[in-house]
Amino acid sequence: MPRAGLSSDAVIERAAQLLEEHPDDDLTLAELAQSLGVRTPSLYKHIDGLPGLRRGIMLRAKRDLAAALAQATIGCARHDAVRALAAAYRAWARANPAQYPATIRAPEPDDAADQAASAAALDVIFTVLAGYDLTGDDAIDATRFLRAVIHGFVSLETAGAYKLPTDLETSYAKAVDAMVTALDTWRRP
């Protein structure tokens, strides 16, 4: 019988916390079990081994990022929405640097939960881009552009690559301003 209060969600949440606390260590089921006060075999009642745990962390991270983006963009349009999206994306990645890499992969085609979790963030971005009248292929191209700029900046930042003395906040604000400018002219020939 599973331990009272222990669920798949609780196991995955604790694993995500451990991942953030020790990002350079490989998370093991033994470490996770010890932190939860159970024996390792007890985890198998809640997750499908280490692959199931990794999948659970990935799904949780994608959902959490999508929720942060959605919350940040409520009531915003066009430039304000892009700026809110970019700020929320960066804030989430900075707060969850060990989980962030799990959010960037395209969903597995045969995994409905992964498809849904990935679509949630994409839907927020498409809604923001609709404010620029970007739909269809234009929206896909613009989404790739936004993700490339934001992800590129955030990935380099969380990896510790920015050591030049120029203010990092100013650099990010300029990158976001450049995205806004590009979106204003996206559909022009």
Side-chain angles (χ1 to χ4, degrees), residues 77-163:
R78 293 182 54 86
H79 304 346
D80 291 338
V82 172
R83 286 186 175 94
L85 179 109
Y89 192 108
R90 182 176 178 220
W92 192 92
R94 289 171 75 183
N96 302 281
Q99 294 174 74
Y100 172 67
T103 67
I104 61 172
R105 270 186 294 161
E108 295 296 326
D110 59 342
D111 187 337
D114 193 3
Q115 292 279 339
S118 297
L122 195 56
D123 288 345
V124 174
I125 296 170
F126 282 165
T127 299
V128 167
L129 293 175
Y132 291 89
D133 294 322
L134 297 175
T135 59
D137 289 348
D138 283 334
I140 292 171
D141 292 339
T143 297
R144 288 174 177 160
F145 165 69
L146 289 176
R147 287 189 70 211
V149 173
I150 296 169
H151 168 69
F153 195 99
V154 166
S155 293
L156 290 168
E157 179 180 17
T158 57
Y162 293 134
K163 299 297 182 191

Side-chain angles (χ1 to χ4, degrees), residues 2 27 35 47 72 76 94 103 113 117 131 148 153 162 165 167 169 173 178:
L27 181 63
S35 76
I47 57 165
C76 297
R94 289 171 75 183
T103 67
F153 195 99
Y162 293 134
D167 181 58
E169 300 308 313

Side-chain angles (χ1 to χ4, degrees), residues 3 5 19 31-32 34 43 62 66 68-69 74 80 82 85 90-91 108 112 134 145 159 168 175:
R3 182 179 134 212
L19 191 61
E31 176 188 11
L32 176 59
Q34 181 181 13
L43 293 178
K62 285 183 176 184
L69 298 179
I74 290 173
D80 291 338
V82 172
L85 179 109
R90 182 176 178 220
E108 295 296 326
L134 297 175
F145 165 69
L168 202 54

Side-chain angles (χ1 to χ4, degrees), residues 25-48:
D25 297 339
D26 286 334
L27 181 63
T28 65
L29 293 180
E31 176 188 11
L32 176 59
Q34 181 181 13
S35 76
L36 291 167
V38 299
R39 294 176 190 239
T40 302
S42 299
L43 293 178
Y44 288 91
K45 297 172 184 167
H46 306 286
I47 57 165
D48 188 17

